[in-house]
Amino acid sequence: MAEENANKILALLTVYLSREFSNSKSFGESVMGHTVNAHGEDYEFYLRVTPPPGGIWDSETLVIARIGFKDRRRGYGRNFMEFLVECASTLGYSKIGMECTNENSEAFGRRLGLQGHGPHNHLLGTVFNVACTLDRKQKTKEFTNMSL
């Protein structure tokens, strides 16, 4: 089940990356057990899909173990979280986690409604809450643009 879900997410991720980073060279996407790895000139992702039992994450959690973008503050992180919400909903995940966050990724996760989870700066939130936060932020942005 874990590797099957990882392959499904990899297929969706490949489409997402080609759409989002059409001018970027991809260095590789791969699945190894319950992990998905993708990196290119402009991005790097490492996801834990259906984490193994007995750890801090349960099987209903889609975990971002690493996320990075060459250019920051361009909306790539937000777009990626929208993508993960879609994947999580499609594949039946109810939670999204971020593993071992640093100052920047923790601030990003908290803005999206994730909360502290266990040791080592982990964050966790429900897919529903993240989707609501993303939707609320989008509506605020649209209203602000209309007001200008």
Side-chain angles (χ1 to χ4, degrees):
M1 174 79 153
E3 194 162 346
E4 181 180 327
N5 279 348
N7 281 310
K8 287 178 184 177
I9 287 181
L10 179 61
L12 295 169
L13 181 62
T14 301
V15 172
Y16 165 81
L17 291 172
S18 66
R19 182 181 70 231
E20 191 73 19
F21 299 98
S22 59
N23 296 328
S24 177
K25 183 177 179 180
S26 172
F27 296 117
E29 292 93 27
S30 63
V31 169
M32 185 175 235
H34 62 88
T35 62
V36 174
N37 187 22
H39 63 281
E41 292 175 325
D42 297 321
Y43 59 84
E44 181 177 14
F45 304 109
Y46 186 76
L47 306 173
R48 295 192 195 289
V49 180
T50 315
I56 192 166
W57 308 108
D58 67 29
S59 63
E60 295 179 5
T61 307
L62 183 54
V63 180
I64 302 167
R66 185 175 32 228
I67 181 173
F69 301 97
K70 178 181 171 185
D71 297 321
R72 294 181 26 205
R73 314 256 339 136
R74 301 260 173 112
Y76 294 128
R78 183 187 194 301
N79 292 346
F80 185 68
M81 287 302 281
E82 288 174 346
F83 164 76
L84 284 184
V85 164
E86 288 177 30
C87 286
S89 298
T90 300
L91 298 173
Y93 293 96
S94 61
K95 298 173 220 157
I96 294 177
M98 292 181 76
E99 192 172 274
C100 298
T101 60
N102 61 28
E103 187 177 318
N104 291 330
S105 60
E106 180 177 0
F108 170 72
R110 290 192 182 275
R111 279 194 308 272
L112 294 174
L114 302 179
Q115 299 177 356
H117 178 71
H120 311 295
N121 294 340
H122 300 318
L123 298 175
L124 181 67
T126 65
V127 171
F128 178 78
N129 285 344
V130 172
C132 288
T133 301
L134 287 165
D135 187 49
R136 188 169 47 251
K137 288 184 180 293
Q138 182 62 35
K139 287 180 180 174
T140 301
K141 182 178 176 182
E142 289 169 3
F143 179 76
T144 302
N145 288 339
M146 285 180 12
S147 300
L148 299 175

